[in-house]
Amino acid sequence: MNRCQVKSIIIRQLIHRFGEINPQLQQRIQRLSMAQLGELGEMLLDFQTVGDLVVWLDEVVQQM
């Protein structure tokens, strides 16, 4: 699976779980590396709210 396909699957999973995901969050997800996308794919199973996604993305950016 290529990076574009992985991003598409993760965004579809997030939309399925939380409803519409705003464009700014989608852009942040688009900028993730393949390794980060893999981690997000696992972490999203634990997210209870979109806020959890935002916190996770903020932590990833701080690690860069």
Side-chain angles (χ1 to χ4, degrees):
M1 211 178 293
N2 67 39
R3 187 173 165 204
C4 188
Q5 291 170 318
V6 172
K7 286 186 230 180
S8 177
I9 289 169
I10 288 174
I11 289 172
R12 286 194 334 250
Q13 288 174 330
L14 288 166
I15 290 170
H16 179 78
R17 182 163 184 134
F18 300 119
E20 194 61 36
I21 302 295
N22 75 50
Q24 292 84 5
L25 286 178
Q26 289 188 35
Q27 288 176 359
R28 291 180 72 182
I29 293 166
Q30 295 288 342
R31 291 190 292 260
L32 296 175
S33 70
M34 193 66 160
Q36 292 166 327
L37 289 168
E39 185 179 344
L40 177 55
E42 292 178 22
M43 293 301 298
L44 71 85
L45 299 172
D46 295 329
F47 295 162
Q48 299 298 315
T49 66
V50 173
D52 294 333
L53 170 62
V54 172
V55 168
W56 185 87
L57 287 168
D58 289 345
E59 289 174 0
V60 166
V61 168
Q62 289 178 359
Q63 294 173 3
M64 295 173 86

